[in-house]
Amino acid sequence: MRLFRATAALSAVLALAACGVPVAGNAVPAGIQTVVTTAPSTPTVTVSPPPTQTVTAVAPPKSYVPAGSQWYAQSSWIYAQPWITITPGVNQTPCQWLRATGYTYPQAFAAWAQNGYPASWSATGDGYPCQKSYGMQH
């Protein structure tokens, strides 16, 4: 038990001395060696800036009003239109039939929407049907 108290006291003295706290007499008991350790220095890291880049401005492509913003593309108007039963002739597309039968482009658009927006009705795939029959409508 005595050895335990002596070890505890010595540990306390060494801990206080290591922290720079003056200990009475700063005496270290005989036969005890002190070890001083220092923390390694923190390395300095230098990061060079990224190389400069030249950016060439390119004019954005011409934008068209999407079909959804046209008055005839509004679902309330489309579904207020009577259903058009399309019966194209031989070698005739639904769009050609609609045009030949006298339907307007908004009516053809409504028929396209009512038939589930078939991709085959838009030759360019841009969201506007029957462009070959009615021309560009945007």
Side-chain angles (χ1 to χ4, degrees):
M1 182 73 148
R2 195 169 171 196
L3 180 61
F4 177 74
R5 286 187 195 156
T7 304
L10 180 59
S11 295
V13 168
L14 289 175
L16 290 172
C19 293
V21 176
V23 180
N26 279 338
V28 177
I32 302 294
Q33 296 180 349
T34 58
V35 177
V36 178
T37 59
T38 57
S41 63
T42 305
T44 303
V45 177
T46 305
V47 178
S48 38
T52 57
Q53 296 177 355
T54 304
V55 177
T56 305
V58 177
K62 184 176 179 183
S63 62
Y64 295 100
V65 177
S69 66
Q70 300 292 340
W71 65 270
Y72 54 78
Q74 304 304 314
S75 60
S76 59
W77 187 84
I78 289 170
Y79 295 108
Q81 300 307 304
W83 183 268
I84 301 170
T85 302
I86 301 169
T87 54
V90 177
N91 296 327
Q92 191 178 38
T93 67
C95 293
Q96 291 169 337
W97 182 86
L98 287 163
R99 177 77 174 182
T101 310
Y103 288 98
T104 65
Y105 182 78
Q107 289 171 318
F109 191 95
W112 177 61
Q114 291 171 348
N115 282 282
Y117 304 97
S120 62
W121 289 32
S122 178
T124 58
D126 64 354
Y128 293 92
C130 304
Q131 291 173 332
K132 287 186 176 181
S133 299
Y134 289 91
M136 301 299 275
Q137 295 295 316
H138 47 83

